[in-house]
Amino acid sequence: QVQLVESGGGLVQAGGSLRLSCVASGRIFNLNIMNWYRQAPGKQRELVASITSRGSTNYADSVKGRFTISRDNAKNTASLQMNSLKPEDTAVYYCNADIREYSYSRLVNYWGQGTQVTVSS
């Protein structure tokens, strides 16, 4: 069994910062690309940032320059540092990853349960 668990969400005022963490646990043989998504009420889920196993990153235009994604391969974790937060950043943030488990030859995509981020004006 493999699971992703997010933490670090909360309530913050505009202009503040939060750091989200995602920990992958279980029978992990290989942890490939890791992503952060977010979904606001009534809107579709969108990709915020991604990072490959080699450290290459991509960001949505709306967060570029404010958010930074990173990973620690030894600990199977990914983080999202969010600075200069805006009310429009309010959403549930989800960790997502492609993982190869022991006893499986194919990659499987996993989702965390999400963590709420609320930015007040």
Side-chain angles (χ1 to χ4, degrees):
Q1 178 179 322
V2 172
Q3 65 177 29
L4 303 177
V5 179
E6 305 99 329
S7 63
L11 175 64
V12 65
Q13 65 185 44
S17 298
L18 284 174
R19 185 177 179 86
L20 306 182
S21 295
C22 172
V23 180
S25 62
R27 295 173 53 81
I28 299 171
F29 178 75
N30 187 33
L31 182 61
N32 286 18
I33 192 169
M34 302 189 75
N35 310 289
W36 284 100
Y37 286 79
R38 69 184 180 187
Q39 187 167 23
K43 296 186 177 181
Q44 296 190 53
R45 191 169 299 184
E46 64 173 341
L47 179 63
V48 176
S50 63
I51 183 166
T52 70
S53 61
R54 306 303 292 264
S56 297
T57 60
N58 280 292
Y59 299 92
D61 289 340
S62 59
V63 307
K64 197 168 187 177
R66 299 187 297 120
F67 292 10
T68 302
I69 188 172
S70 61
R71 66 188 290 159
D72 186 334
N73 290 330
K75 298 180 179 179
N76 289 334
T77 62
S79 298
L80 185 68
Q81 178 67 45
M82 305 185 294
N83 298 325
S84 302
L85 283 163
K86 305 174 181 179
E88 50 262 45
D89 294 319
T90 296
V92 177
Y93 284 72
Y94 297 91
C95 183
N96 173 269
D98 286 341
I99 299 172
R100 193 184 309 277
E101 301 176 64
Y102 288 108
S103 302
Y104 283 82
S105 61
R106 297 179 178 180
L107 290 172
V108 178
N109 189 254
Y110 287 87
W111 290 89
Q113 291 298 305
T115 184
Q116 176 71 49
V117 172
T118 302
V119 184
S120 62
S121 60

